Amino acid sequence: MTLKRILAATALVVALASCSGGGRDISGARTVPLPTIGSSGGALSNVQAKKLFGAKAFATTQAPAAFGSYAKGCMAGGVQLPETGPTWQAMRLSRNRNWAHPETIDMVKKLSAFAATQPGWEGLYIGDMSQPRGGPMLTGHRSHQMGLDADIWMLPPKSLALTRKQRENISSISMRKTRGAYVNSSWTRAHHNILKAAAQDPRVARIFVFPGAKVQMCEDARGDRSWLRKIRPWYGHHYHFHVRLNCPKGAQGCRNQTPPPAGDGCADAREWQRNILNPPPPDPNAKPRQPRRELVLADLPAQCKAVLDN
């Protein structure tokens, strides 16, 4: 498969995962349209959603729920990951993005406990999760809107006693070499083990990491390789890896991302690697990429109005 075909397929998956309209998903199954706020948002209907959700400092008092899709949704009843725990610290506290659905909070705590068993790791440094009520963020991510995404730093924690100021100034470390085609000398077996543990959590839908890491994990994996299917190469993601959960069981109004392609995904990752090392010529017929329109309140799922107003 060429890089062009991979990108086209990936774009389709992202579009299907993010849309709120009807149609068919990548498997051919018919999807049910998700009603949007539309004009029921009144005077706020055409206000950029990131300005409205970014201004909320606390979660709602509603029961925990994820609404919409990862890149067009919101979260009711979010839970705040404590700033410091026995095996984790939340980073960049000034962003107020250490909120998530309870399932994500539980996943992070359990994964950090496993990480603390690895040589040289005291636990995990946790990056962005979601805003208190999810929704589009003022800066950065397009996803992370339903409380089901979490960024986990590649930096092995040597201390879990960092001050707020230290957490603003410390940086993670890059794992990539040769523009992401390979891992560098900072990559360890512990990184492999931690990503594997995350992938083996049945709640996890996908894990995004730079292509070189996926290729290295394919080389090093032994025995059962089924968990590799969830490890997906994606741009960036060399300072952190991104864990995405499925919609919680029985969730109403929450749209899952389509499952990853069958197989361990190693052939596709190696194709990414080859195209990094020897980029294919640009497509002369490719159309210029159009700027993405900012989401307004009217675009979000209908339930998000109550989330915003609660």
Side-chain angles (χ1 to χ4, degrees):
M1 182 180 288
T2 65
L3 178 62
K4 181 180 177 182
R5 289 175 64 194
I6 293 172
L7 294 179
T10 305
L12 178 61
V13 170
V14 172
L16 288 167
S18 303
C19 70
S20 60
R24 294 182 182 272
D25 68 15
I26 199 167
S27 68
R30 185 169 297 279
T31 59
V32 179
L34 296 176
T36 61
I37 291 174
S39 61
S40 67
L44 297 178
S45 292
N46 292 317
V47 175
Q48 289 184 1
K50 66 181 183 180
K51 295 182 178 179
L52 300 172
F53 281 85
K56 297 297 184 180
F58 300 99
T60 73
T61 57
Q62 299 162 302
F67 298 120
S69 61
Y70 302 95
K72 189 186 290 184
C74 63
M75 171 180 62
V79 175
Q80 188 175 32
L81 179 71
E83 295 177 4
T84 298
T87 54
W88 75 83
Q89 281 203 291
M91 310 303 283
R92 303 290 192 268
L93 297 174
S94 63
R95 297 179 180 178
N96 198 26
R97 294 177 180 176
N98 57 320
W99 297 80
H101 189 280
E103 291 286 352
T104 311
I105 298 292
D106 183 68
M107 180 277 297
V108 164
K109 290 180 177 181
K110 289 179 177 176
L111 185 62
S112 71
F114 172 80
T117 69
Q118 299 301 297
W121 292 67
E122 294 296 319
L124 293 174
Y125 288 147
I126 309 302
D128 287 351
M129 299 174 77
S130 292
Q131 299 176 139
R133 304 186 190 191
M137 292 185 177
L138 287 169
T139 59
H141 311 282
R142 180 169 173 253
S143 59
H144 290 250
Q145 294 194 26
M146 294 197 295
L148 299 176
D149 295 283
D151 288 343
I152 298 173
W153 282 22
M154 294 288 196
L155 178 66
K158 302 298 183 185
S159 170
L160 294 177
L162 299 180
T163 65
R164 291 181 67 92
K165 183 176 181 180
Q166 288 172 323
R167 287 184 246 188
E168 294 295 329
N169 296 323
I170 191 174
S171 293
S172 188
I173 54 174
S174 174
M175 298 285 114
R176 76 176 184 175
K177 182 174 70 174
T178 319
R179 305 187 310 281
Y182 302 102
V183 297
N184 61 27
S185 60
S186 294
W187 177 267
T188 67
R189 183 67 188 193
H191 288 91
H192 175 108
N193 292 341
I194 292 167
L195 270 82
K196 177 180 178 180
Q200 289 179 319
D201 188 321
R203 297 171 293 188
V204 171
R206 295 194 182 202
I207 298 172
F208 300 104
V209 71
F210 71 100
K214 168 75 181 208
V215 171
Q216 188 64 50
M217 295 181 77
C218 289
E219 295 294 329
D220 295 340
R222 297 292 181 269
D224 177 23
R225 299 170 64 86
S226 60
W227 56 272
L228 279 167
R229 183 186 182 203
K230 295 182 183 179
I231 309 288
R232 310 306 300 177
W234 196 244
Y235 305 101
H237 294 85
H238 53 104
Y239 283 91
H240 72 271
F241 61 94
H242 177 161
V243 181
R244 171 168 292 171
L245 270 62
N246 289 302
C247 292
K249 187 176 181 179
Q252 299 294 317
C254 176
R255 176 158 291 166
N256 276 314
Q257 181 161 336
T258 51
D264 60 18
C266 291
D268 284 352
R270 292 187 180 101
E271 182 74 10
W272 277 66
Q273 183 184 59
R274 287 191 292 271
N275 282 302
I276 291 172
L277 297 172
N278 297 291
D283 181 356
N285 299 315
K287 295 181 179 179
R289 192 170 185 175
Q290 298 299 315
R292 185 179 290 120
R293 180 177 68 82
E294 292 280 1
L295 293 175
V296 296
L297 184 62
D299 296 321
L300 297 187
Q303 298 95 327
C304 293
K305 185 175 187 301
V307 170
L308 188 67
D309 294 343
N310 188 273

